[in-house]
Amino acid sequence: MNITIFGTGYVGLVTGACLAETGNHVLCVDIDEEKIALLNGGQVPIHEPGLTELVHRNVEAGRLNFTSDAAAGVDHGLFQFIAVGTPPDEDGSADLQHVLAVARTIGEHMSDYRIIVDKSTVPVGTADKVKAEIAAVLTESGRTVDFDVVSNPEFLREGAAIGDFMKPDRIVIGTDNPRTTELLRMLYDPFTRNHDRLLSMDVRSAELTKYAANAMLATRISFMNELANLAELVGADVEKVRVGIGSDPRIGYNYIYPGCGYGGSCFPKDVKALIHAAAGVGYRAEILESVEAVNDRQKTVLHRKLSDYFDGELAGKTIGVWGLAFKANTDDMREATSRVLLEALWRDGARVRAYDPVAGDAAGKIYGGRNDLVICDSAEAAVEGADALVIVTEWSEFRSPDFAALKESLSNAVIVDGRNLYDPDFVTEQGFDYLSIGRPGPVDLN
């Protein structure tokens, strides 16, 4: 099939590359000509395991192409995927200006039947707005062209997106036209060969499903972080509690790991958007408000633990930081806990030596030029002469360090572990003061 993807960001590029991998002819459109030039030159501007190889293979096979020519994109594909950003507005609502701009573009250039697929994460009712936008453009130009608008939300995890797309646990299709359901079923058939994973529903239910999924996962994370803070106060070990509740098949182990808060481009934005959407229809989403409040507080835990350890005297201290991305296997620092930590340390007059396997460049773009930040090229360099080590991201290479060498490098043998990577008894036996999440010890939540 011929497919057009509007947007070459995370979702658009992964979607385009994976659809091309199964033999489709995909044309990715973006108004950012610099990005298009990079992609046509063989450079992939985002870090996602396996994506660069997938893009290169399908470009070389002639199945994947990139352009800034929107008219060519509309002319190319029966399926017109909208995969542009929906950043939060100041009030927390999803900003649909880019989605509706693409809708107008499709309406301006469309001359034959098209299926417009909302792949971006959008509020309930967006498909209606897209349909109205295209219909208005057609009316203004005096044209009559048949089209359908469907919702097909993505469920991609950063760091595992290729596997999530190629072997999905579900494919949600929201449409009011049985014809489009069958066409999309054909499109996704290569990804569901061993059993049917396609779930067909009405458009508004599909739109809400995406927000509901992310809000549920965010809720599990905040719930465990709430329990972790309580565990510290009552002398319990949240890791033992996690195993105790996770063994219940009604709960399971996914997304119940305590830590230093969730971040990234999805959970924070989508929780805010769902809260705003609820308010827009006169409903207060109190659980979601609490999920957001707990997460905001949890992002400050690492700084509070460090400040308490040094009796509030962080001025002049050098802090080694392992991990800058909001999670492992990505370079995404949007809403990352590391940003909250770094900015709090700088307000206190501390210096930072930070290392991340792939997010160093991203940090440089955000904070470049600061004389109180050194982006290091190894974990060992980040702790050289540091007064403490703080672990923010759960990269695999941080899981088994040389503790003897680490102790020798640090000026003070203290580790603040935001991901509970180590066994407290073992680390203490190595001569460290070890502060983690939800293990026994004092915590100040004020």
Side-chain angles (χ1 to χ4, degrees), residues 135-172:
V137 172
L138 292 174
T139 300
E140 290 168 5
S141 61
R143 291 177 295 133
T144 301
V145 182
D146 192 21
F147 69 95
D148 285 302
V149 179
V150 305
S151 174
N152 174 215
E154 52 85 14
F155 299 98
L156 306 177
R157 296 167 296 165
E158 290 194 45
I162 303 300
D164 287 344
F165 199 103
M166 301 301 288
K167 297 180 179 180
D169 48 22
R170 81 280 205 198
I171 298 169
V172 173

Side-chain angles (χ1 to χ4, degrees), residues 260-374:
C260 49
Y262 61 77
S265 62
C266 294
F267 288 4
K269 173 176 69 71
D270 293 351
V271 170
K272 286 179 185 292
L274 196 51
I275 292 170
H276 184 271
V281 293
Y283 183 77
R284 184 179 176 188
E286 295 180 72
I287 289 178
L288 296 179
E289 289 176 355
S290 296
V291 167
E292 183 177 43
V294 168
N295 190 62
D296 289 343
R297 183 181 65 193
Q298 198 69 13
K299 288 183 176 182
T300 68
V301 163
L302 297 179
H303 174 258
R304 287 203 304 270
K305 286 177 178 289
L306 198 61
S307 182
D308 289 347
Y309 181 84
F310 287 108
D311 296 322
E313 299 295 329
L314 288 172
K317 296 284 193 300
T318 297
I319 308 301
V321 174
W322 283 0
L324 295 166
F326 84 94
K327 61 181 283 188
N329 298 317
T330 181
D331 62 350
D332 194 345
M333 287 185 62
R334 285 174 288 184
E335 301 285 343
T337 297
S338 64
R339 299 177 67 165
V340 176
L341 172 65
L342 266 56
E343 290 163 18
L345 289 172
W346 291 328
R347 285 194 298 270
D348 288 342
R351 297 181 297 273
V352 174
R353 295 178 61 84
Y355 167 71
D356 188 286
V358 300
D361 289 344
K365 291 177 182 177
I366 298 169
Y367 297 120
R370 295 191 67 106
N371 57 14
D372 48 9
L373 171 64
V374 177

Side-chain angles (χ1 to χ4, degrees), residues 71-84:
V74 176
D75 184 63
H76 173 78
L78 167 64
F79 296 99
Q80 302 277 311
F81 281 80
I82 300 178
V84 294

